[in-house]
Amino acid sequence: MKMGGAGADLRHPSDLTAAGPPLGYIRDLSTVLQNAVDKPLMTEYTASSKTNTFTAWCNSHLRKAGTQIENIDEDFRDGLKLMLLLEVISGERLPKPERGKMRVHKINNVNKALDFIASKGVKLVSIGAEEIVDGNTKMTLGMIWTIILRFAIQDISVEETSAKEGLLLWCQRKTAPYKNVNVQNFHISWKDGLAFNALIHRHRPELIEYDKLRKDDPVTNLNNAFEVAEKYLDIPKMLDAEDIVGTARPDEKAIMTYVSSFYHAFSGAQKELFNSGNITSLLPAYHSWHGQEGREVQIWDGKPFAWLLAGPAPPHLALVLFFPLCTDIVGTLRPDEKAIMTYVSCFYHAFSGAQKAETAANRICKVLAVNQENEHLMEDYERLASDLLEWIRRTIPWLEDRQPEKTMNDMQQKLEDFRDYRRVHKPPKVQEKCQLEINFNTLQTKLRLSNRPAFMPSEGKMVSDINNGWQHLEQAEKGYEEWLLNEIRRIERLDHLAEKFRQKALIHEAWTDGKEAMLTQKDYETAPLAEIKALLRKHEAFESDLAAHQDRVEQIAAIAQELNELDYYDSPTVNDRCQKICDQWDLLGSLTHSRREALEQTEKHLEAIDQLYLEYAKRAAPFNNWMEGAMEDLQDMFIVHTIEEIDGLMAAHEQFKSTLPDADREREAILDIQSQAQKIADYNHIKLTSGNPYTTVTPKTINAKWEKVQQLVPKRDNALKGEQDKQQSNERLRLQFANQANVVGPWIQGKMEEIGRIAIEMHGTLEDQMNHLKQYEQSVINYKPNIDKLEQQHQLIQEALIFDNKHTNFTMEHIRVGWEHLLTTIARTINEVENQILTRDAKGISQEQMHEFRASFNHFDKDHTGALGPEEFKACLISLGYDVENDRQGDAEFNRIMASVDPNNSGMVTFQAFIDFMSKETTDTDTADQVIASFKVLAGDKNYITAAELRRELPPDQAEYCISRMAPYHGPDTVPGALDYMSFSTALYGESDL
């Protein structure tokens, strides 16, 4: 109900706490806040939203002094506005600031401000005057936040919580009735803007149409709250809606700063109302009714006050009260006291006339009411007692029923039913019993106080009867509970034993699975000895395992016996399973013994067979090697070259044939060993599938190879006989060739020595020497038929593949080489004489000079090879008077001479080269310059010559020779077809490349 101006909210006194803080509840909590202020404040204060919020907060106070700031980190640098801000928010005067513009003046001003903050019990950590003067944004924002904490938030207190917690609790209580508002912090709880609007609406509902706001439109909500707060509540806009919505976690300090403005705005309005005198002038006029009926008058929000009557009042009285208040009281600053007293006296006279009649009627009604109430209590007692006793009589038989169940689930169900009885069914009956006793005592007291006789319940329904029945119930309950617990322990024990029996039985059955099949298999009948030994070791391990499982079988039997003794409900199943396990265990023991005997017997027989196998292998292996060697020798492709070699092979073969009878007897003995082993296996039903482990040589192999040897022996006899005939024929061919070669070879050697002497000792003219040599050559050629006959004999030897001949040292290759060398030596000697004749005729050397040259050359040719070495040639030159001694000049001259006589660097100087050198040294020879001068004459004194000029001046073949070898001329006076005769001439004498 609203009266007077808009927003005058009239509430019952019980709504005071929800509506806002009571008077006098704000107190100094600087001690509680100290811990928060002491903490380092240099966290991140650089966000634009925080800067804007702190700037707006500062301006909201600075405007009271007629100024404001634009840039928070610049406008506080001189300390003047900072000191002014502290004076405004604290209401105290600070020391007079310094008006100088120097840095020291600014620092002093800021220090005065910081000293004032510190004097209020705030510790400034890491914030110094220099940082503020330097415009450090982080430090400036930290300082402003310290001021906000001290002067705007520290004094906030709600129900003994302070600062941040008190402000948060105040917000939570103010916004509690509002849908979609849940304030849990100072960041994300305010993002949708509804909390801001709820705070305003709670105190000024006429300013906000809260029901029209939507949670999904936070920007509109925030802007609406900010605009209303700035326009109607004088709270500056410190936040930006887009910044809050666009941030995952809005800045907590900025939100706290802004919300604290709402707290101070609304709490300040309450103080103003209570401190005013508007309410006190009305209290005397209303005092009589207020004191009689306990009514209270509550005034809220400092608006034009109105009266709210808490409690019922006659409608006409409320109407009469309403209109005077509305017309006179509301419209008057100080309502007329006499008018109010006159109006209130009407109430007194209205009620005092009917008071006596009302008193008499009240007395009668009171007596009747007491009597009716007593009768009602008696009926309730009888009914409750009957119901309670009937429930006890029904419950006791159920608790005394001790029929055990077979399974744990059934017993658990019984226990659960008993717990339901304890939790659900019994507690109401306990209350009923207690209430019954209370009602009985109350009834007796009321009867005694009203002078009525005491109440006597029906027979069997006395309180003592109910207590006896209840005691019997609790005894039955206790016995039932003990029986349940004991029975559950017994079944739990049985279930544990049964589960233990099943687990052990399952493990044992899993272990025995396949064991019977393993023990009955006859794998030892086909296994070799090594596997039998392995099977025995494996069987021994199984016997150890079997013995180890004996304890488990005994445990299974013991558990089964215990289950029988404890009367387990499923004992027949347990007994059947236990019997099967015991029967199977006895069977496994019998099979284990039988298998051991079979394995040991088989091992004994196989060891005997193994011994025979070993002996067989020791004798079969060398015999098999002997047969393989024999077959290899009998099939060996022998190669012999002499009759002696084939005779040796035939003698060795005869020796081999003499050993065959002994070998046959060894073969039969080896086969008999194998036969003995097979007889043992057949007699004892042992299957020898793997063969002899010591050898791969089987009797079949031995017989096959022996038969092969028997077949190869006669073949070898025939092959040796054929080779013997062949070697006898080859021997005859060797003797024929050797007889002829031993004649031809020495003849060729003699001729070689003879031609060497002739070449050195020739006398007479060169023409006489030439004739003598040609006659000698013809006599040698006439010996050719003897060479041809030897070639024919050699052809027969080659066809017979004879490669050696012990009867002669001469081979056909030696004969051929010697014959060719003889003819070549004779031809070379003849050619040397011919060259000497050409040299003599071309150089004009006399016959005496030629003899002198020959004599000098032969003198130094000590080995008669027809060539001189470098040292021999140097000695020859020295003897002819050349200066080629062993010094630098002599070595250079000798090297020049060697280059001309040995151009190929063979290291030898032939007689022809020696003659050429001596002829150059002793006669006049053509030179390259002479040839160039001759070509220049033919060319008409030009530096080049044409093809036409060559064809005109030279014979055709020589002209074409020159044209094909002359290079084109490239001089400045060249003409088409010009040839370079100069380079051609130098090339003829080795002075350039042709």
Side-chain angles (χ1 to χ4, degrees), residues 195-245:
F196 290 112
N197 285 278
L199 279 179
I200 297 173
H201 185 269
R202 182 62 181 267
H203 297 89
R204 297 291 298 276
E206 76 279 4
L207 301 179
I208 299 289
E209 295 185 42
Y210 186 82
D211 294 338
K212 294 184 179 181
L213 299 177
R214 298 203 323 264
K215 186 176 178 66
D216 58 354
D217 191 5
V219 175
T220 300
N221 299 340
L222 290 166
N223 284 328
N224 180 65
F226 297 162
E227 291 169 1
V228 169
E230 186 173 24
K231 184 176 180 181
Y232 296 102
L233 304 178
D234 196 26
I235 299 175
K237 185 179 179 180
M238 301 181 187
L239 302 174
D240 185 82
E242 285 72 14
D243 289 344
I244 295 176
V245 175

Side-chain angles (χ1 to χ4, degrees), residues 540-552:
E540 291 173 357
F542 173 75
E543 287 177 334
S544 299
D545 195 12
L546 188 70
H549 276 74
Q550 177 69 33
D551 289 341
R552 179 174 286 112

Side-chain angles (χ1 to χ4, degrees), residues 607-627:
E607 284 179 346
I609 294 173
D610 186 73
Q611 191 62 33
L612 291 173
Y613 274 164
L614 182 60
E615 184 180 356
Y616 172 88
K618 288 180 179 179
R619 297 179 67 174
F623 185 72
N624 181 65
N625 291 336
W626 176 84
M627 288 192 297

Side-chain angles (χ1 to χ4, degrees), residues 283-467:
L283 292 179
Y286 194 64
H287 176 71
S288 60
W289 193 54
H290 168 79
Q292 178 183 351
E293 298 296 333
R295 310 293 190 237
E296 291 183 359
V297 178
Q298 294 297 329
I299 302 170
W300 200 248
D301 282 342
K303 303 301 181 182
F305 56 87
W307 296 85
L308 177 63
L309 295 177
H316 67 277
L317 177 59
L319 185 62
V320 171
L321 284 170
F322 178 77
F323 283 100
L325 291 175
C326 288
T327 57
D328 296 332
I329 299 175
V330 174
T332 307
L333 179 63
R334 180 184 175 89
D336 184 70
E337 184 176 23
K338 295 178 180 179
I340 295 295
M341 292 178 63
T342 301
Y343 185 67
V344 172
S345 67
C346 293
F347 285 88
Y348 176 79
H349 293 290
F351 291 108
S352 64
Q355 186 173 1
K356 293 180 180 180
E358 184 179 356
T359 301
N362 287 340
R363 183 178 291 113
I364 295 171
C365 290
K366 184 176 181 181
V367 171
L368 294 176
V370 170
N371 193 62
Q372 289 175 346
E373 185 179 359
N374 292 337
E375 290 178 357
H376 181 68
L377 289 174
M378 294 176 188
E379 292 173 358
D380 287 345
Y381 179 84
E382 290 287 338
R383 179 177 52 80
L384 290 174
S386 300
D387 293 343
L388 184 58
L389 289 171
E390 178 62 26
W391 179 80
I392 292 173
R393 282 192 293 269
R394 290 198 313 269
T395 305
I396 289 176
W398 175 71
L399 293 173
E400 291 178 345
D401 182 13
R402 308 295 168 83
Q403 182 65 33
E405 300 291 344
K406 294 182 178 181
T407 64
M408 178 59 73
N409 290 335
D410 294 338
M411 290 305 299
Q412 288 286 356
Q413 185 60 46
K414 278 184 175 289
L415 181 60
E416 188 63 30
D417 293 342
F418 181 70
R419 288 173 178 169
D420 287 342
Y421 156 78
R422 281 273 185 85
R423 290 192 306 263
V424 179
H425 301 292
K426 185 180 178 182
K429 300 304 177 182
V430 173
Q431 293 178 2
E432 290 179 10
K433 178 178 177 293
C434 181
Q435 189 62 43
L436 190 66
E437 294 175 354
I438 292 172
N439 290 349
F440 181 81
N441 294 331
T442 302
L443 176 59
Q444 298 292 27
T445 300
K446 286 186 176 183
L447 290 174
R448 185 174 63 254
L449 293 176
S450 60
N451 296 321
R452 302 299 198 281
F455 171 64
M456 182 61 64
S458 303
E459 185 178 356
K461 297 181 181 178
M462 295 292 291
V463 174
S464 58
D465 296 331
I466 295 173
N467 288 334

Side-chain angles (χ1 to χ4, degrees), residues 29 32-36 39 149 153-173 183-186 252 256 263:
L29 292 175
V32 179
L33 186 65
Q34 190 62 54
N35 292 334
K39 294 180 181 178
L149 280 177
I153 298 176
Q154 176 174 323
D155 291 338
I156 297 174
S157 176
V158 178
E159 292 191 3
E160 299 185 5
T161 60
S162 61
K164 178 179 177 181
E165 292 77 12
L167 184 60
L168 181 63
L169 180 58
W170 180 79
C171 294
Q172 289 171 343
R173 289 186 171 178
V183 178
Q184 298 296 328
N185 49 55
F186 286 107
E252 186 177 42
M256 286 179 62
Y263 175 83

Side-chain angles (χ1 to χ4, degrees), residues 580-607:
K580 290 179 181 178
I581 290 173
C582 292
D583 293 343
Q584 186 186 34
W585 184 256
D586 294 338
L587 178 61
L588 288 177
S590 176
L591 292 175
T592 300
H593 180 71
S594 299
R595 181 172 176 81
R596 167 171 278 282
E597 289 183 348
L599 288 172
E600 290 176 346
Q601 191 66 24
T602 304
E603 180 188 29
K604 179 180 179 181
H605 297 317
L606 285 178
E607 284 179 346

